[in-house]
Amino acid sequence: MAEVRVNPGLLQGNVTPPPAKSDAHRALIAAALSHHGTVIKGLPEPVSEDIAATGRCLDALMSGQPIMDCGESGTTLRLLIPVAAALPPGRRAEQLLFTGSGRLPKRPLAEYETVLQKAGLALSHPAD
């Protein structure tokens, strides 16, 4: 981010704040789904670890790999579970494993279990 110094006086100009991280997650997911699995490249630097996790998981999901490493990104996990469940079986691995580190494996996912069960899908969670 460029340095901005504010001194007393009349301000003029434009400031473009960076997008919210959750918006970036959603944009990556929408881009991956709309491009039918093409790899997303060219993200502006620096990329946060959360955004990098979403990119890695999308690459894995769209290429049919069964393991998605979400790192410590709760947003990646919470957004990609329903995306993965909504993909037709031919576009995803039959069974998927979402992994993570830090506190991520302890996050509650009961609401996903209920919704997925109604759709005929199962979610097992080691924190249960």
Side-chain angles (χ1 to χ4, degrees):
M1 176 184 234
E3 184 177 310
V4 176
R5 180 172 290 172
V6 179
N7 295 314
L10 182 62
L11 297 177
Q12 291 182 339
N14 297 311
V15 175
T16 304
K21 203 164 43 167
S22 64
D23 290 343
H25 286 279
R26 288 171 175 83
L28 283 174
I29 292 167
L33 293 174
S34 69
H35 290 96
H36 304 290
T38 57
V39 178
I40 300 166
K41 298 283 186 198
L43 293 175
E45 296 292 333
V47 175
S48 74
E49 180 51 38
D50 283 2
I51 299 301
T54 297
R56 281 193 312 270
C57 289
L58 285 167
D59 284 344
L61 183 63
M62 294 303 172
S63 64
Q65 297 174 31
I67 300 173
M68 262 64 51
D69 181 4
C70 298
E72 293 188 58
S73 177
T75 303
T76 299
L77 177 67
R78 290 185 172 277
L79 291 177
L80 287 184
I81 286 174
V83 167
L87 289 175
R91 292 233 7 236
R92 62 171 161 78
E94 186 173 321
Q95 289 190 339
L96 300 173
L97 173 65
F98 287 89
T99 66
S101 56
R103 294 183 5 219
L104 187 71
K106 304 282 189 225
R107 298 223 180 176
L109 296 172
E111 65 275 12
Y112 290 103
E113 290 179 42
T114 303
V115 170
L116 293 175
Q117 189 175 36
K118 289 179 183 177
L121 300 168
L123 174 70
S124 61
H125 188 254
D128 294 339

